[in-house]
Short mmCIF file of all heavy atoms in Angstrom, two decimals:
data_model
loop_
_atom_site.label_atom_id
_atom_site.label_comp_id
_atom_site.label_asym_id
_atom_site.label_seq_id
_atom_site.Cartn_x
_atom_site.Cartn_y
_atom_site.Cartn_z
N CYS M 99 57.04 137.89 109.72
CA CYS M 99 56.15 136.98 109.00
C CYS M 99 56.11 137.43 107.54
O CYS M 99 55.50 138.46 107.22
CB CYS M 99 54.75 137.00 109.61
SG CYS M 99 53.55 136.00 108.68
N TRP M 100 56.78 136.66 106.67
CA TRP M 100 56.89 137.09 105.28
C TRP M 100 55.59 136.92 104.51
O TRP M 100 55.37 137.59 103.51
CB TRP M 100 58.01 136.31 104.59
CG TRP M 100 59.37 136.71 105.07
CD1 TRP M 100 60.20 136.00 105.89
CD2 TRP M 100 60.05 137.94 104.80
NE1 TRP M 100 61.35 136.70 106.14
CE2 TRP M 100 61.29 137.90 105.48
CE3 TRP M 100 59.73 139.07 104.06
CZ2 TRP M 100 62.20 138.94 105.43
CZ3 TRP M 100 60.65 140.12 104.00
CH2 TRP M 100 61.86 140.04 104.67
N GLU M 101 54.73 136.03 104.97
CA GLU M 101 53.45 135.85 104.28
C GLU M 101 52.56 137.08 104.44
O GLU M 101 51.89 137.51 103.50
CB GLU M 101 52.73 134.62 104.82
CG GLU M 101 53.41 133.31 104.46
CD GLU M 101 52.62 132.11 104.95
OE1 GLU M 101 51.52 132.32 105.53
OE2 GLU M 101 53.08 130.97 104.77
N LEU M 102 52.57 137.65 105.65
CA LEU M 102 51.74 138.83 105.92
C LEU M 102 52.54 140.12 105.88
O LEU M 102 51.97 141.22 105.97
CB LEU M 102 51.08 138.69 107.30
CG LEU M 102 50.19 137.46 107.49
CD1 LEU M 102 49.67 137.40 108.91
CD2 LEU M 102 49.04 137.47 106.49
N ASN M 103 53.87 139.99 105.77
CA ASN M 103 54.76 141.15 105.73
C ASN M 103 54.61 142.00 107.00
O ASN M 103 54.51 143.23 106.95
CB ASN M 103 54.48 142.00 104.49
CG ASN M 103 55.74 142.69 103.98
OD1 ASN M 103 56.81 142.10 104.00
ND2 ASN M 103 55.61 143.92 103.53
N THR M 104 54.59 141.31 108.15
CA THR M 104 54.44 141.99 109.43
C THR M 104 55.52 141.51 110.38
O THR M 104 56.18 140.50 110.15
CB THR M 104 53.06 141.70 110.05
OG1 THR M 104 52.92 140.28 110.22
CG2 THR M 104 51.94 142.22 109.16
N ALA M 105 55.71 142.26 111.48
CA ALA M 105 56.70 141.90 112.50
C ALA M 105 56.28 142.50 113.83
O ALA M 105 55.54 143.49 113.89
CB ALA M 105 58.09 142.38 112.10
N GLU M 106 56.77 141.91 114.91
CA GLU M 106 56.43 142.39 116.25
C GLU M 106 57.37 143.50 116.71
O GLU M 106 56.93 144.53 117.21
CB GLU M 106 56.49 141.22 117.24
CG GLU M 106 55.48 140.11 116.95
CD GLU M 106 55.62 138.97 117.93
OE1 GLU M 106 56.47 139.07 118.86
OE2 GLU M 106 54.90 137.96 117.77
N LYS M 107 58.68 143.31 116.54
CA LYS M 107 59.65 144.25 117.06
C LYS M 107 59.85 145.44 116.11
O LYS M 107 59.70 145.33 114.90
CB LYS M 107 60.98 143.54 117.30
CG LYS M 107 60.89 142.42 118.33
CD LYS M 107 62.24 141.74 118.52
CE LYS M 107 62.17 140.62 119.54
NZ LYS M 107 63.47 139.93 119.72
N TRP M 108 60.26 146.56 116.73
CA TRP M 108 60.41 147.78 115.95
C TRP M 108 61.53 147.63 114.92
O TRP M 108 61.40 148.08 113.79
CB TRP M 108 60.73 148.95 116.89
CG TRP M 108 60.86 150.25 116.13
CD1 TRP M 108 59.87 151.10 115.80
CD2 TRP M 108 62.06 150.80 115.59
NE1 TRP M 108 60.36 152.16 115.07
CE2 TRP M 108 61.71 151.99 114.94
CE3 TRP M 108 63.39 150.40 115.60
CZ2 TRP M 108 62.64 152.81 114.30
CZ3 TRP M 108 64.33 151.20 114.95
CH2 TRP M 108 63.96 152.38 114.31
N GLN M 109 62.65 147.02 115.30
CA GLN M 109 63.77 146.86 114.37
C GLN M 109 63.36 146.03 113.16
O GLN M 109 63.78 146.33 112.04
CB GLN M 109 64.96 146.21 115.08
CG GLN M 109 65.71 147.14 116.02
CD GLN M 109 66.91 146.45 116.63
OE1 GLN M 109 66.81 145.34 117.14
NE2 GLN M 109 68.07 147.13 116.61
N SER M 110 62.54 145.01 113.37
CA SER M 110 62.07 144.18 112.26
C SER M 110 61.14 144.97 111.35
O SER M 110 61.19 144.86 110.12
CB SER M 110 61.37 142.93 112.79
OG SER M 110 62.25 142.16 113.58
#
Side-chain angles (χ1 to χ4, degrees):
C99 175
W100 290 106
E101 291 183 2
L102 302 176
N103 212 39
T104 58
E106 297 178 3
K107 299 180 180 179
W108 181 86
Q109 285 183 311
S110 300

